[in-house]
Amino acid sequence: MKLLYQTHSPFARKSLVFAHEVNLADKIEVVHHETSPTQRNEEVIGLNPLGKVPVLITDNNVTVFDSGVICAYLDQKHDGEKLFPTDPDDLIAALRLQALADGLSETGILARWEAVRRPEALRYQPLLEGMLGKLSAGYDYIEDHIVLDERITIGQIALATSLSWLEFRGFATFRENHSKLTEWYYTFSLRRSMIATTLIGDTHD
């Protein structure tokens, strides 16, 4: 299999961490691509019309996107405990956490556009403040309502990779007054899957 990947994409990393967790990483060739809403990547667009990574190309030359669908596909390709739980209630809980984590990543990306990437004259401070407020509300909700136990699921992988990216980009206010979330994140970050996919220095805006 081949995974079109961008080093600083929380969604791409989610897919690769998942592959490590289900022991399929050695069966995947990682191919790095830079993508941006303001700069077309024709090769990526040829596989995903939205021009986004990650994109997985399977052994049968089937194109799979986005990250959640890639992870669901990979979960069918191993014989270990499934990271998309088979119990209906557990599955909904895992998918809900994945949705929340992905929403945090998407919100952080929008905040980064307003704080850094958009030309300064075009930045809109109320929008940035609104995005930062959503991040804070998300952190509060996880701290108060989400049970983060030892069982690994797609939800936990999505959350860990989202928090890692948010910290990398300077939006890690979850460390303020969220002791349960911070402790869980620290422990999860020590997993081999996270260490093998660690974010490294910024190479682009």
Side-chain angles (χ1 to χ4, degrees):
M1 294 180 284
K2 182 182 295 185
L3 181 68
L4 276 61
Y5 189 86
Q6 185 167 324
T7 303
H8 300 109
S9 163
F11 302 107
R13 190 182 183 200
K14 180 177 79 172
S15 301
L16 192 54
V17 167
F18 193 99
H20 277 277
E21 288 288 345
V22 297
N23 296 314
L24 291 176
D26 62 347
K27 300 183 183 301
I28 297 174
E29 176 188 359
V30 176
V31 181
H32 290 264
H33 279 269
E34 293 296 327
T35 61
S36 168
T38 59
Q39 185 174 354
R40 289 174 63 91
N41 182 317
E42 296 296 343
E43 185 173 349
V44 174
I45 289 174
L47 298 169
N48 176 358
L50 299 178
K52 296 181 178 181
V53 294
V55 176
L56 182 73
I57 304 172
T58 73
D59 289 333
N60 298 325
N61 206 36
V62 174
T63 301
V64 181
F65 55 86
D66 61 3
S67 63
V69 183
I70 290 171
C71 291
Y73 175 83
L74 294 176
D75 212 33
Q76 300 176 11
K77 298 299 178 180
H78 70 99
D79 297 325
E81 183 176 2
K82 300 304 181 182
L83 304 191
F84 285 77
T86 55
D87 177 83
D89 290 339
D90 291 343
L91 176 60
I92 291 301
L95 293 177
R96 182 181 66 169
L97 181 55
Q98 176 184 220
L100 178 53
D102 286 354
L104 289 174
S105 294
E106 291 163 357
T107 299
I109 289 169
L110 290 174
R112 179 167 163 77
W113 271 95
E114 291 300 326
V116 178
R117 300 196 69 183
R118 195 184 304 278
E120 188 170 359
L122 300 179
R123 296 174 192 170
Y124 186 49
Q125 186 66 26
L127 181 57
L128 173 59
E129 292 173 358
M131 295 301 104
L132 296 179
K134 288 187 177 186
L135 290 178
S136 295
Y139 301 149
D140 290 343
Y141 185 88
I142 296 168
E143 182 76 10
D144 296 337
H145 300 289
I146 300 296
V147 176
L148 296 169
D149 54 26
E150 295 181 358
R151 182 181 179 184
I152 306 302
T153 70
I154 178 58
Q156 291 193 354
I157 291 171
L159 179 59
T161 49
S162 176
L163 294 179
S164 178
W165 183 86
L166 289 163
E167 184 165 56
F168 180 71
R169 293 306 192 190
F171 298 124
T173 55
F174 66 87
R175 292 189 179 276
E176 303 170 7
N177 304 316
H178 301 91
S179 57
K180 183 185 73 174
L181 178 58
T182 300
E183 182 179 356
W184 173 85
Y185 172 64
Y186 172 78
T187 300
F188 199 99
S189 296
L190 298 178
R191 295 186 67 83
R192 287 182 295 176
S193 61
M194 293 290 287
I195 294 172
T197 59
T198 299
L199 293 172
I200 57 177
D202 196 3
T203 58
H204 66 288
D205 292 333

